Amino acid sequence: MMTAVAGFLVGMLAQAPAPFVADSAAGAPGRLHIGDTGIRCVRMPCPSRGVYQPGENGHAVRGQLLYADPDGVKGPPPMMGDEKLLIAIREAWDDHRCLAVDGRLIGGEDDRPVLRVDRIAGACGPE
């Protein structure tokens, strides 16, 4: 398990698109933010959109994203849930907004995790 976590962090540091992780605390149900990360960069690649467990200020912590869009062209991660919720998330993603959701990462096809969205709690902000 530590090898998988180390591999994830090395990937983030290299600014490669981060894979979802579905083990450890990342797979537990809870509050996640999806969309604008609050991370701003002078040049690309920049993980300005992603999925993350919010830090104290409600923003993402660089290097701790569960999923990242480093070049601004990736869509949101694979998701499942009520279609109305997923549409709202995709629209927020495209508009570079952020939504707080209750959900969890679950195993998907070919061991690729999927974000299960149970509900949208509202716009992102400090917890």
Side-chain angles (χ1 to χ4, degrees):
M1 185 164 114
M2 289 304 293
T3 303
V5 171
F8 172 75
L9 292 174
V10 168
M12 278 305 301
L13 292 174
Q15 295 296 325
F20 254 161
V21 292
D23 56 346
S24 72
R31 180 67 44 90
L32 297 171
H33 287 186
I34 181 167
D36 183 34
T37 62
I39 297 172
R40 302 296 179 252
C41 309
V42 175
R43 61 184 136 142
M44 297 300 263
C46 182
S48 62
R49 292 186 296 185
V51 176
Y52 56 95
Q53 293 171 324
E56 289 180 20
N57 64 358
H59 293 296
V61 176
R62 189 181 295 269
Q64 295 182 7
L65 297 171
L66 301 173
Y67 176 86
D69 176 22
D71 56 9
V73 298
K74 286 176 68 172
M79 299 180 290
M80 65 180 289
D82 182 276
E83 190 60 30
K84 290 178 185 176
L85 298 177
L86 302 184
I87 289 170
I89 291 169
R90 288 183 192 108
E91 288 174 355
W93 184 276
D94 290 343
D95 293 341
H96 293 272
R97 293 181 288 122
C98 181
L99 292 175
V101 301
D102 290 333
R104 68 183 305 167
L105 297 177
I106 61 172
E109 214 170 281
D110 297 326
D111 290 331
R112 294 181 55 189
V114 172
L115 176 61
R116 186 190 81 199
V117 178
D118 298 324
R119 76 181 193 96
I120 295 176
C124 296
E127 293 290 305

